[in-house]
Amino acid sequence: MVKGQSGGFVMTPHKVSICILLQVYAPSGQLSVPYPFDSISQHNRLGLFLIALTKSCDDILEPTLDEFLKLLKEFGVLYNWLTDHVTGRLSSLSSPDDLFTFFSELRGILAGLETSIIDDDQINLDPNSNLGMYLRRCMLAFNTLSFEGTCHLLTNIKTYCKEVFSPYEMSHLDDASNDPEAPLEYENMDLENIVLQNFTEELESRKRSNERVPFHNHSSKALFSLVEDITVSPGQKVKRNHRSQMQTQPPSVESSDVRTNWQIQGYMSEQADMIEKLGSSFPMSAFESVLKLLQKVAPELHRVHFLRYLNSLYHDDYSAALENLSRYFDYSAGMEGSDFVPPLSCMNNGRYEIALLTLGMTHFHFGHPKLALKVLTEAVRVCQMHSDDTCLAYTLTAICNLLSEVGISNITGIMGASDSHVSTSMSVQQQLFLLLRRTLKRADSLKLKRLVASNQLALAKFDLKHVQRPLLSFGPKASIQLRTSPTNVCKKLRLSSQLIHQFDNESSVVTIDGALSTSWLKNQRKPTTTLVFPPESGPESNRDTFYSWLQSSSVPGSVLQLVGSSYLVSATSWELYGSASLAQSNALLFANCFADSSSSADLALAYGKLIQHLAVYKGYKAFAALKIAEAKFLSVSKSGILPVKLQLLHERALHRGHLKLAQQICDELGVLASSVTGVDMEIKTEASLRRARTLLAANQFSEAASVAHSLFCKCYKFNMHVENATVLLFLAEIHKRSGNGVLGIPYALASLSFCESFNLDLLRAAATLTLAELWLLLGPRHAKRALNLIHSAFPIILGQGGLELQSRAHIAEAKCYLSDSSISVSEDPDIVVDSLRQACEGLEALEYHEMAAEAYYLMAIVLDKSGQMEQREEAAARFKQHITALENPIKPEDPLVNLL
Amino acid sequence: MGVNKQNCRNELRTAIQQLNDRCLYSASKWAAEQLVGIEQDPTKYPPSHTRLQRDSSSILRRFHCTDEITSTPIAGTSYVSTPVLEEDNGDVDSDLYVLAKSYFNCREYRRAAHVLSDQTGSKALFLKCYALYLAGEKRKEEETIELEGSLGESNTVNSEIVSIERDLAAVRKNGSIDSFGLYLYGLVLKAKGNENLARTILVESVNAYPWNWTAWLTLQSLCTTIDTLNGLKLHNHWMKDFFLASTYHELRMHNESLAKYDYLQSTFGSSNYIKAQIAKAQYSLRDFENVEVVFEELLRIDPYRIDDMDMYSNVLYAKECFSGLSYLAHQVFLTDKYRPESCCIIGNYYSLKGLHEKSVMYFKRALKLDKNYLSAWTLMGHEYVEMKNTPAAVDAYRRAVDINPCDYRAWYGLGQAYEMMGMPYYALHYFKKSVFLQPGDSRLWIAMAQCYERDEIRMHEEAIKCYRRAASCNDREAIALHRLAKLHSELGQNQEAAFYYKKDLERMEEEEREGPNMVEALLFLATYCRAQERYEEAEVYCTRLLDYNGPEKEKAKSLLQAVKLAQSGFP
């Protein structure tokens, strides 16, 4: 019945009510202002309203009668008359014949083509006008209906009318809980209640977080038109969206207002974007029930399985994800919903390689790198077999991502000999580098712009942390500096963010299945609805234009996401290269401009970076920011915020001398990482470094050294040389603290050379400082040398270093002066006192009792020597304060302890 | 023994009448079958009475290995006696009831319901609701066809369910509901998806009136795990044994199921139903010989039977019995060609003939008649695999799996299809599913092992594990032992290789098979024994090798010389 109809235009009760209004608007043979209207403007308003309604007629979901009648409230005085008229007409349709008469009456309001005499006073609909076309489509759709179809329309109209009074009657889902006669003793009732309760809690928590942090409120309310029901503009109204889904979708789907395949595909791809963006904060159970319903209604629509897969993937339900993934690909054979046109040769064989690619990425997501690699290798093989170059390019990119994210010490045997892209004689890193370059080339030749950009990004990441070695094992070697090259990184980052321009200039955008139709509708509807319903306030629309260049539909979300992540990578690169301010500004840029298009995990990362920056430069004011971020990412499991919080707390515990607490926090941080080798390396190194620091703070030197040593071995095994620079510096620090300067110096020097080859300027300054301190430890003879070293590091330390580093440098400088016999402090105390004072300020902000005590102690000595007794007393008092604070660590009123 | 036959007979006779009275025809059919199935005492009755129950158990027993199935534990159970219902009869009411019943018999359900609309008796209420339910079902089917849209919409629901549920819930609340009403209530609740309540209600129903087999079947469809089955509070009645036997079969506990049927056969000795069920269980245990015997017997007694005949056709297919299959196909075609089973049998026949397109056509017809016909989906998948149309095969198998996730054949088919497409690693997921469901089937283990062995992935360790499982569960084709030996020798694990070659050799000797495998095993063992300096053994193997022609013979000769030399050199 539906099949044969033009473009899937199906008569529905909602359309019938629009037709009723059309009849009101243009009653046949009436004068210019027909009966119920007072003025021409009122009449025109109804016309505009009707145009808006007909434009949205291809929406997937139609409003229920109740919602529809609410729209009519706009018409003030006429509201009662209109609603009565519509409901009256609808309920008067009681037999198929009534419908026939109704539609033949409708024909009368169209101006016939043959009637040449057009009376100005009469209102007739031009058959070629918007409304006229709509009417004709409706009439055609009705005329092609079989008798059964007419009967169905009639029953649908009846339920449509009934829903006004009991909107939930049709919904299956609520039946059990609504039925007053169902006995309460059965367990499934309780279950349902629990589910419901959970859901409302979820909503509540979202509401709360939304109230506190209005991050997502950029989009204008003009978009938020009343007719629009499920179209989702990014980020804006998660809460509303789900509420409306829960309420409107189930009944509407039930009453067979389902639209064309195309539109539902569009709806689903939008939802898929939402899931990927929001991650685990997407309400799982609610959406799952919607999907189940959709699946029941439209069993041939396989995309539903894919959405169920995504949903379970982002809620860490491994088995369900796997199950739905294989089901989706079994049904669709990878032919449905991909954004590139498959080569002809594959048309009848299916494209199961995409299944493999997706499965590989799923394993990667769940932290099973070995399985992922095996699956991806198979994907490569199948792609080659079917010569599916596009998929091959994507697969290779996925492999690159895997290799660069996961610590793998040896891939021979995993990749196998069958993969010609990797020869086995080289190290993992060299293989990765080759693979990256080839993938980039392949993507470039296939003109897959997004892929090219993401490959550039991957190369930038690689260059950031790896020194390029000559690949030739024999023959002439060009002299290569054994350093990383920041310019390369920068260049690649720029190239990858060029992507946005390419997409901005393009007029036609590749869209996935039906996404275009809905986004087009959205854009079309905007002006029309604002005409009918004037925008509520000025500033909101201003904000809208500010963001419009990013949100304009010509730039797809995935492109924005890529561009956003290039900013994130450059923030990281500046962090490593030691420019705190540039890192901060990049992170800020990301958080401001790409918050809507990027995934919540990326956003959490950016927030984490900003918070850490605050903590390093401003002390513990960062906790206020942390609280905000925590509220925002409340429901995100695996969010980047939790490790940041633990790191901050650990830092603070160490500074204040709460070693037990520090130990506990360390353990918690370690637990966050997966137990699989090679996965979550960042958190793992961070945790063991912090464990070593805690041990050092407890003066357990040998234990700390052994932890650091094993960490060094691990980093070396997985080629994490940037981390090794830090570890080596820390080893030097241990020797310094244990008073063994001679042993410490080689470590400091090694760290220095690492820093140099990886261009880690800030860390290099820190290493220089440590080296100076070590020299100083060897005796006053070396004070001069130490002082020179400190002065050479000063520009960077003062410019980019955090509070702690600066204070340490100041103290070290002061110590140098004090131990240098050629300088008499008592004569010129200011050179020392000044820097000491600065050190004290910084350390007090950090509540770093131990070092603050040291600084005050030194200050007191200097002041004593220079005879400033009053100030000396003050410094001594502060010294004592800090010492007592250090000795009695836990204060009961400490508010941050219960943050944990 | 077990159940008193005479009591049984009386109970069934009353039940048939009552079920017929309520138009529960398939239940009454089943009951009547069992009634006739109760073995008569041959001394009391002339042979004409037992036409329909010619004794086949002698044949059965020949094939039966009684020692593996024990039926003892049930001997001590005491059965509850359920009082037979009293009928309520008013004169005018019963006239109306008869009218409604006649309408019902003419399939005018709404009319029947209308006649009874003012009646209050529980019998009338049941028939009214039941007629409404059937009317709704009929309408639902029609609507499904009318509304067949581009999305394959199937959102048609039985529109009567809500009102029926309301009525029955009210009656149940005031306590005047009878067991038939409860059955219908359970049916309606199941259709609404309220499974827990449906289960409770159905248990109430069968406890109050155990002879309604359709109620038991509905209950069975709600017991998908052994835990739910054990959680049911059922009275002990001999009908419960039928239920348990059937449910055990659905839960793939075939031996338990067989034991139950064996026990039931002591009373219902000539029940065709039980025979077919036993055949079903044996089919699942891949005991094809027995199944064939049973079905031949069944067809002789009941030549127009179509139920379960698709399974018989599968057996004939597996045994490549062309004529038998074509005879069967012809028979069912003449009896009723629009039964899904008939189409399936014809499909099987064409498949055996290698005419896969035609075969697919018949499976499609079967699925049109019953779109939840599990084995047709699976068999169609097999056909598509034969036609090298893997995407279609995958689709068909997947549908089978979605209908019943326990169908290990479809999971296996999926694995096979993916392996064919050169995706062995992906296929493993499906093979794992299938061996999980049917861990005792060596074919599945071997298929999985071969997948692990594929050149693309070469996971030999895992392959060895699979072959071991296959070898331990009655590997009929004896592939596993040979492969195990070969894999071990490839991995350089000579000791294990020798162990398995020896076993393989023993097995070949026992089954009197010859062939290249034999030569290979002998050669390996001879070389191995020599290397281990077990010269006497080596000599034995070498001499046996001399029986064969070919290059191995020469090798054996030189080996033998070397062995002799070694023996003489170091006495």
Side-chain angles (χ1 to χ4, degrees), chain A residues 44 74 99 110 139 209 215 288 337 342 348 353 358 415 490 498 572 589 738 789:
Chain A
N44 286 347
E74 279 306 305
L99 273 173
L110 277 178
M139 278 168 7
S209 60
F215 282 113
E288 184 72 14
N348 41 17
E353 53 269 26
T358 321
M415 294 293 277
C490 210
Q498 285 287 317
T572 315
L589 188 78
S738 66
L789 281 171

Side-chain angles (χ1 to χ4, degrees), chain B residues 152-165:
Chain B
E153 285 157 305
S154 62
N155 57 338
T156 49
V157 282
N158 188 335
S159 52
E160 303 296 334
I161 278 184
V162 180
S163 66
I164 297 175
E165 194 208 350

Side-chain angles (χ1 to χ4, degrees), chain B residues 28-293:
Chain B
S28 109
K29 176 178 105 180
W30 187 88
E33 270 181 6
Q34 307 319 312
L35 175 62
V36 180
I38 300 176
E39 247 177 1
Q40 302 286 11
D41 194 347
T43 51
K44 281 187 200 161
Y45 293 93
S48 68
H49 267 264
T50 51
R51 188 177 59 83
L52 280 170
Q53 26 173 283
R54 240 163 286 160
D55 189 35
S56 59
S57 33
S58 60
I59 308 173
L60 265 179
R61 265 167 215 144
R62 194 148 46 85
F63 286 91
H64 233 267
C65 10
T66 35
D67 50 354
E68 79 178 20
I69 302 151
T70 49
S71 53
T72 37
I74 314 161
T77 30
S78 60
Y79 288 103
V80 291
S81 58
T82 314
V84 173
L85 274 167
E86 282 173 32
E87 304 284 350
D88 47 338
N89 274 327
D91 276 340
V92 186
D93 288 358
S94 77
D95 291 346
L96 283 176
Y97 189 83
V98 169
L99 177 65
K101 203 174 158 230
S102 342
Y103 282 149
F104 189 101
N105 286 343
C106 296
R107 314 194 70 194
E108 297 180 86
Y109 301 122
R110 278 189 202 281
R111 235 175 145 187
H114 184 71
V115 168
L116 294 173
S117 55
D118 296 329
Q119 300 293 306
T120 48
S122 59
K123 200 169 143 192
L125 179 79
F126 169 77
L127 191 64
K128 186 186 86 183
C129 291
Y130 188 48
L132 273 180
Y133 175 77
L134 286 183
E137 286 294 298
K138 196 174 149 212
R139 183 72 202 123
K140 186 177 116 184
E141 292 296 316
E142 288 164 3
E143 263 183 45
T144 315
I145 295 164
E146 285 168 21
L147 285 176
E148 213 163 44
S150 54
L151 293 172
E153 285 157 305
S154 62
N155 57 338
T156 49
V157 282
N158 188 335
S159 52
E160 303 296 334
I161 278 184
V162 180
S163 66
I164 297 175
E165 194 208 350
R166 195 167 347 114
D167 291 353
L168 289 174
V171 182
R172 179 167 181 263
K173 218 173 178 188
N174 65 33
S176 60
I177 196 165
D178 67 347
S179 60
F180 298 103
L182 283 171
Y183 155 64
L184 193 58
Y185 191 32
L187 203 62
V188 167
L189 286 172
K190 186 196 157 201
K192 282 192 67 186
N194 194 349
E195 297 199 347
N196 286 335
L197 184 53
R199 218 173 286 139
T200 324
I201 298 287
L202 283 168
V203 168
E204 271 181 47
S205 168
V206 294
N207 278 342
Y209 187 86
W211 302 280
N212 184 358
W213 181 238
T214 42
W216 289 103
L217 281 182
T218 320
L219 184 58
Q220 180 190 315
S221 68
L222 291 170
C223 295
T224 43
T225 61
I226 184 71
D227 292 334
T228 32
L229 179 65
N230 291 337
L232 298 178
K233 289 184 190 69
L234 294 168
H235 293 172
N236 257 337
H237 186 270
W238 50 267
M239 283 293 283
K240 186 186 168 188
D241 293 327
F242 275 104
F243 168 71
L244 284 180
S246 166
T247 314
Y248 283 150
H249 180 255
E250 283 304 306
L251 296 173
R252 286 172 285 112
M253 300 157 65
H254 303 303
N255 285 324
E256 288 84 347
S257 166
L258 271 179
K260 274 276 176 217
Y261 282 126
D262 212 44
Y263 166 71
L264 282 168
Q265 245 184 352
S266 62
T267 314
F268 302 91
S270 44
S271 160
N272 291 342
Y273 167 80
I274 293 180
K275 278 176 203 150
Q277 292 303 308
I278 287 176
K280 240 184 201 173
Q282 282 169 338
Y283 177 75
S284 307
L285 293 169
R286 311 206 325 106
D287 188 359
F288 291 159
E289 302 292 329
N290 265 337
V291 180
E292 203 185 353
V293 172

Side-chain angles (χ1 to χ4, degrees), chain A residues 527-547:
Chain A
T528 55
T529 45
T530 43
L531 274 177
V532 184
F533 315 110
E536 285 165 36
S537 53
E540 296 226 290
S541 53
N542 275 347
R543 243 197 285 168
D544 192 37
T545 48
F546 179 68
Y547 286 99

Side-chain angles (χ1 to χ4, degrees), chain A residues 548-566:
Chain A
S548 64
W549 69 277
L550 278 178
Q551 293 178 336
S552 64
S553 60
S554 63
V555 182
S558 58
V559 173
L560 280 182
Q561 198 175 352
L562 256 176
V563 176
S565 51
S566 82

